[in-house]
Amino acid sequence: VTLYPNPASSIINMSIDLLPKTKMNASIYNNIGRLVMDAGDFTSDEFNLTHYKTVDVGNLMSGVYYVILSGYNKKITKPFIKN
């Protein structure tokens, strides 16, 4: 999983490599663990395994946030800073 730019001011770009026929959900949490945004799903088929998503974080207050990707019996946490 890759997040950029970090720190971010208005958008973050996410890229993730998935196994074939899998789905993961991306959610953004603040530094006290409160869900602040559902960033949507990543779904792969048999051939398209790398997925990209741009998320508008311009309305979030400045601070540290965590993108949590969950699904396929996994949970991946990636921090980012919102300026």
Side-chain angles (χ1 to χ4, degrees), residues 25-54:
N25 177 265
S27 301
I28 299 176
Y29 291 82
N30 64 14
N31 63 346
I32 60 170
R34 180 172 289 155
L35 176 66
V36 295
M37 183 183 302
D38 181 2
D41 292 330
F42 291 91
T43 305
S44 71
D45 55 29
E46 292 183 43
F47 306 105
N48 188 10
L49 304 180
T50 301
H51 292 274
Y52 303 94
K53 185 180 291 285
T54 299

Side-chain angles (χ1 to χ4, degrees), residues 16 18 23-27 29 40-42 67-77:
I16 183 170
L18 296 174
K23 177 179 171 180
M24 294 191 85
N25 177 265
S27 301
Y29 291 82
D41 292 330
F42 291 91
V67 174
I68 297 181
L69 295 134
S70 56
Y72 194 66
N73 298 321
K74 292 186 178 190
K75 187 180 270 188
I76 301 166
T77 302

